[in-house]
Amino acid sequence: MGDVHGCLDELLSLERAIVADGKDLPARKLIIMLGDYVDRGPASSQVLEHLIAPAPAGFERICLAGNHEVMMLDYIDGRLGLADWMSMGAAATLHSYGIDQERLVQVYRSSRQVDEVIRKAIPAPHVAFLRSMPILVEAPRFIFVHAGVRPELDIAQQTDDDLVLIRSEFYKHSAQLKKYVVHGHTPTAEPKLEDKRVNIDTGAVFGGKLTALRIWQDKGLYLTN
C-alpha cells in the first residue's frame, strides 16, 4: 500500500477492499505498507495507532519506514530541529496528538521547553513502533521499499537514506533493475509501471486515491479506496 500521510478514512476503506479481494485467495496473505504514515494529513496519530493493532483477520502486515517516519524519529531523538520537521507537514501530525505548536511557542519561553512538551505528548508505543520499522522487504522477484534503490548496487550496499529518499538516480536507471521494485514517495496521478519499478503513491493526502498493488502468482492488480 502506498503513502497514507494521515489519511485514516482512506486507509480503512482500502483495507476493506483488500480483505474483500483476498477472501478467496489461499495460503499466506501479507500487507506491506510502504511508509509515510504521518505528516500533512489530518490523522497521523490515529493511523499509527491503527497500524500498531493487529492486521485484518487472515492477514499479516509489515510496515516499512518512509522518510517522514525517519524524520519524526529524528526529531524525537533530538537529531532534528522542530522547524525542519514542521517544514515537512508536521503541524498536522502534532494536531492529531492534540498539540498546537504555535500556542506552545507563545506559552513557553524556550524552544527546549516546547520540544519537551511535544516529545512527552507522543505515546511510548508510537515511538517504539517507529523504531521497529524495517526499511526494505526483498522477495525472489520483488523488492518493496519506500523510495527506491540504486539499481547498480546490491541490496547489502544500499544506504538507508537512499531507500527512503532517492528519486532521480532510481528513475533514470530503472532499466537496470534485476527485480521489480514496488515503491511510493513520489506522488503521481495514477499508479505507474515503468521498466521494473512500480510507483503506487497516488497522492491520497493531496486529494488523490490511496492505492495498493495486489500481487498473486506474479500478476498485479491495483486496488484503490
Side-chain angles (χ1 to χ4, degrees), residues 40-221:
R40 297 179 177 152
S44 293
S45 66
Q46 293 83 358
V47 166
L48 292 182
E49 191 71 20
H50 177 75
L51 294 176
I52 289 170
F59 287 80
E60 300 171 66
R61 181 166 56 210
I62 296 174
C63 295
L64 300 179
N67 60 300
H68 284 261
E69 287 73 53
V70 172
M71 185 168 286
M72 182 175 178
L73 192 55
D74 281 347
Y75 170 72
I76 291 169
D77 288 342
R79 293 184 295 271
L80 185 78
L82 181 58
D84 289 326
W85 187 27
M86 292 292 287
S87 72
M88 296 295 287
T93 299
L94 296 181
H95 286 158
S96 75
Y97 286 105
I99 301 167
D100 184 339
Q101 181 263 348
E102 293 182 357
R103 179 61 178 159
L104 287 181
V105 171
Q106 295 172 358
V107 171
Y108 293 98
R109 295 181 178 180
S110 73
S111 59
R112 181 182 58 79
Q113 290 175 302
V114 172
D115 290 336
E116 287 177 357
V117 171
I118 292 173
R119 288 166 180 151
K120 287 179 180 178
I122 300 172
H126 290 200
V127 178
F129 182 53
L130 294 173
R131 295 193 195 285
S132 74
M133 291 176 184
I135 206 161
L136 177 145
V137 169
E138 185 179 16
R141 293 193 64 207
F142 296 90
I143 293 170
F144 302 88
V145 67
H146 177 63
V149 300
R150 289 192 178 273
E152 74 277 12
L153 298 180
D154 293 335
I155 290 299
Q157 297 175 296
Q158 306 285 336
T159 69
D160 287 357
D161 280 350
D162 279 340
L163 296 175
V164 299
L165 289 169
I166 196 169
R167 282 196 169 105
S168 61
E169 290 304 306
F170 173 47
Y171 303 153
K172 286 192 299 185
H173 302 293
S174 59
Q176 300 177 26
L177 292 167
K178 297 177 178 63
K179 296 185 177 185
Y180 286 94
V181 177
V182 183
H183 67 97
H185 186 52
T186 300
T188 183
E190 299 291 337
K192 185 176 182 181
L193 169 63
E194 185 173 297
D195 297 318
K196 283 192 171 182
R197 70 174 184 88
V198 189
N199 184 358
I200 57 169
D201 178 4
T202 46
V205 75
F206 302 115
K209 296 286 188 179
L210 185 61
T211 296
L213 170 64
R214 186 255 279 164
I215 300 171
W216 171 248
Q217 296 181 335
D218 287 335
K219 295 181 179 178
L221 174 70

